Structures are given as C-alpha cells and as structure tokens.
Amino acid sequence: MLLRHLRHWFVCALALPGLAVAACGERVTIATHDGTQMPYSLARPAERLAVRGALVLLAGGDGHLKLDAQGCPKALGGNFLVRSASLFREAGYATALVDVPTDHQGVGGLAGFRNTEAHGADLGLVVADLRRRVKGPLWVIGTSRGTISAANVASRATGDAAPDGVVLSSALIHGTTGGVKPWTQQTVFDLSLAAIKVPVLVIGHVHDQCLRSPPGEMPRLLAQLGSARKQMVSVEGGAGPSGQASLGACEGRSPHGYVGQEAATVDTIVRFMQSN
C-alpha cells in the first residue's frame, strides 16, 4: 500500500511545473528576426555547486530539438551536447540548449540558415539574454553542424551579445557537393574565422570517420582563427573506427559524437575554459 502511494506521489509530482522544470530546465522564449520567436532550455547546476558561468549549446543535425513546455528536448537526443549537458552542469555551468526559431520548425530545420547574418544575430540575443540570468563567463559550444552556428555568432556579435569564448567540436570542415540540398555545402569556413578574437578550442576525435569533419584537417581550421588563445585537442578512446569514412559516420553515437568518451571530452573542454 505504501509503495503504491509513493508511486502515485511520484507521478503526480512530475506533473507539477516546478519539479518538471527542475528535471529538464526552464523553457525561455525570446523574440528573434522578422517577428519570429526562438526557445531555449535553461538548466542550472545543483544548488550545492558554485556557478562558474553559462554555456550556449548548439546541437548539430537540423538543430530542431523540439523543446516541450518543460524545456525537454524531444529530438536530437543522440547529439553529443544534448547527451552531455548534465555533465557540464556538474562542472558548475548553467546550460542553454538552443532550439530553432518559429520559421524553421518544418522539415530541414535550420537548413541553410546557419551561416546567415540573421542567425548570428539571433544567437547573439540568446547570449545577451543568458548574461542577464547567469553571472560569470559565457561560452558558446557547437558540435558538428552546430559549429557553423557557433562560428557565426562568435565572428559577428559584439558587446553583450558576444561570447567570452567558443568551442568547435567535430567541426564541419568539408561540405558535400552535387546534392539536391545546396546548404549541405556549408562549412565553418563560410564565416570570417579571422574575426573571432575570443579564446577558441578546436576539439575532435582521432577516429571520427565523418566525411564532413576529418580530424586531420583541424590544424587548417586552427590556423585561420584570429584568436590569440587557441588550442587543438584530439580525443582518443571510447568507440573505435567505424569502417570507411562516410556521411553515415556523422551521427552522434559514434566517435564523431565522442561516444564512450563523453565525460573525458567534457572535462577537456572545462579545463580549457577555466585556463588563463
């Protein structure tokens, strides 16, 4: 009987707004380009932890997390940053998982919008809004296709909209050609990398077999960044090579997404952010 009552209390408690928010995050919606709106899910570290700053997390793929009313992502659950957001919070950072604006919630999600000036401005609004909510340094972390978005805001934004640093994880270095979707040709090199002056970490897995993010090309990316403090790190371990290089190897639960090495990868990123 007691167990049945406890189960009933637990199910009902999850339906309460305050506790639901604690599980996933606060769903924040901001006004963006051309009258659109864009949500993000803000989750804070546990109260026992000192807050070290905040992170804007930009997932790859189409970018459409499909955040629900409680700030829980219903899509892209396999993405490295979505899977690892709680690890960043355990390190003392508030996390903001950014969804797509209301005019990009259909098939394709962000598609070719990632390298546009409007997208960079939208992300700058997220950075500025987050600064008002969380004290401390604010970094932008993008992974896979999300690195295009991260490079966009880092190269364009100024003032409170500009991040204090940026992490490019499994960066999109090569585009595809001859496809029916022209935007698949986009890479981080579409942005003015020399304009990025804040600290930058370029990180990738030595066994990443994704055709779009060859780890051997990371030095070329590092060389074009305008930052005075920049570093390249190669992750090893976890899942081994997954056959020939292919587009199929670009999914999150693979070396491209640091599967099996999430904690070590997050620790590497945190150590760079905290170094001087």
Side-chain angles (χ1 to χ4, degrees), residues 105-122:
Q105 293 181 354
V107 176
L110 288 173
F113 189 58
R114 284 199 188 266
N115 67 2
T116 65
E117 184 176 356
H119 182 51
D122 287 352

Side-chain angles (χ1 to χ4, degrees), residues 2-75:
L2 177 60
L3 180 60
R4 185 166 65 250
H5 283 305
L6 286 174
R7 286 174 176 168
H8 176 73
W9 177 88
F10 181 72
V11 171
C12 292
L14 288 179
L16 294 174
L19 292 180
V21 166
C24 291
E26 174 189 359
R27 190 181 196 274
V28 179
T29 301
I30 63 172
T32 44
H33 67 278
D34 300 330
T36 60
Q37 293 184 318
M38 187 167 69
Y40 70 88
S41 179
L42 171 59
R44 302 174 187 270
E47 291 185 4
R48 60 181 171 80
L49 298 173
V51 178
R52 289 173 162 169
L55 308 176
V56 173
L57 304 181
L58 304 173
D62 64 6
H64 193 185
L65 298 173
K66 300 182 180 179
L67 294 175
D68 65 15
Q70 287 75 42
C72 299
K74 298 303 182 184

Side-chain angles (χ1 to χ4, degrees), residues 83-125:
R83 298 195 326 265
S84 304
S86 63
L87 296 176
F88 286 110
R89 292 194 293 275
E90 289 172 12
Y93 289 90
T95 59
L97 281 167
V98 182
D99 209 341
V100 300
T102 48
D103 61 345
H104 284 276
Q105 293 181 354
V107 176
L110 288 173
F113 189 58
R114 284 199 188 266
N115 67 2
T116 65
E117 184 176 356
H119 182 51
D122 287 352
L123 295 177
L125 292 171

Side-chain angles (χ1 to χ4, degrees), residues 145 172 174-187 212:
R145 193 179 294 280
L172 263 282
H174 287 176
T176 58
T177 58
V180 296
K181 301 174 181 177
W183 51 267
T184 62
Q185 299 179 29
Q186 293 180 359
T187 72
R212 307 290 306 277

Side-chain angles (χ1 to χ4, degrees), residues 170 203-208 215 218 234-239 255-256 258 261:
S170 301
I203 188 168
H205 198 291
V206 294
H207 294 314
D208 187 353
M218 290 195 299
S234 295
V235 176
E236 298 187 52
H256 181 71
Y258 313 97
Q261 285 294 92

